[in-house]
Amino acid sequence: MKKIFLISSFVIMGVASFFVIRSVVHSKKQYNVQKEIASNIIRFHVRANSDSKEDQQLKLAVKDSVVQYLEKRMEGVESLDEARKILYDDSDSIKRLALDVIRGLGYGYDVRVYFSKEFFPLKEYGDMSFPPGEYEAFRVDIGDSEGRNWWCVLFPPLCFVDSACSIVPEDSKEIFRNYLSDEAYSAITLKSLRESDCKIRFRYLKFLNKLFE
């Protein structure tokens, strides 16, 4: 009995050590993948003044107007630097456009338009998923900017794709393939995330299975 206990203890320690090491390696791999993705995209966020129904509707009205404007300006853009320059150069025009929408709907909110780098949680867009981490974002903040935000990926362009659909068109995905490694591209597809969700099962030391459920 004592021998079985010792063997079981060594097995448990060995398995635990294996998963600790694998977890560290996996975390490092995820970190590198997220950094690669973040270094090749610009996110776009429009944040509402508050979560009231009226402020959320206003946010969407501002979003529609700005996205329509940017769709024309970003047409044919082939590099991150080019996209960033257009956004910097057009910041004042975008602010005026947002203010026109806000004033036209009878609100007195101010608007801030700026670039930021900040941490974002896991976000899904259609059938694509962007891992949590620090990203560069072009932001349009309305009023106190304390409400939920609308977001998309501005470059490579996903803002001009209907995210209400469950699948991002293949031609849009192909743009990401041109900028990302196979590993990073795989990481932003929901399918790959689901397929990697596997469970570890032990055939003999069955009591260990509960540790990994």
Side-chain angles (χ1 to χ4, degrees), residues 19-161:
F19 279 102
V20 168
I21 294 171
R22 196 178 80 160
S23 177
V24 171
V25 172
H26 182 64
S27 296
K28 179 65 175 177
K29 182 178 178 181
Q30 285 185 319
Y31 174 81
N32 290 336
V33 167
Q34 188 277 328
K35 284 298 183 184
E36 179 186 346
I37 295 169
S39 65
N40 283 282
I41 72 172
I42 298 175
R43 297 173 63 139
F44 178 49
H45 288 250
V46 180
R47 185 171 292 278
N49 176 68
S50 75
D51 280 335
S52 72
K53 181 179 179 180
E54 295 77 14
D55 283 346
Q56 286 296 312
Q57 290 176 338
L58 177 63
K59 173 195 71 178
L60 295 178
V62 170
K63 177 268 296 185
D64 288 342
S65 184
V66 174
V67 167
Q68 184 179 14
Y69 171 84
L70 287 175
E71 183 173 11
K72 297 177 182 177
R73 293 290 291 129
M74 301 292 282
E75 185 176 356
V77 174
E78 297 181 351
S79 74
L80 189 72
D81 288 339
E82 184 181 1
R84 190 182 290 118
K85 184 177 187 305
I86 288 174
L87 294 170
Y88 270 120
D89 291 346
D90 285 21
S91 290
D92 289 341
S93 296
I94 293 169
K95 179 176 181 176
R96 284 195 298 270
L97 181 62
L99 283 172
D100 286 345
V101 173
I102 293 169
R103 299 292 183 266
L105 292 173
Y107 293 88
Y109 301 139
D110 196 5
V111 172
R112 291 194 302 147
V113 176
Y114 61 101
F115 275 94
S116 70
K117 278 194 174 182
E118 53 195 278
F119 181 88
F120 293 100
L122 174 71
K123 290 287 187 178
E124 295 178 2
Y125 194 88
D127 62 340
M128 301 183 77
S129 178
F130 294 83
E134 186 178 79
Y135 289 88
E136 179 179 24
F138 184 70
R139 293 186 48 162
V140 176
D141 287 357
I142 303 171
D144 294 332
S145 62
E146 294 180 350
R148 294 187 305 275
N149 73 84
W150 179 92
W151 81 282
C152 68
V153 177
L154 191 55
F155 184 85
L158 281 188
C159 288
F160 319 122
V161 173

Side-chain angles (χ1 to χ4, degrees), residues 50 107 111 114 154-155 168 172 180 190 193 199 207 211:
S50 75
Y107 293 88
V111 172
Y114 61 101
L154 191 55
F155 184 85
V168 174
S172 295
L180 301 175
L190 295 180
L193 291 177
K199 291 185 177 180
F207 66 91
L211 297 175

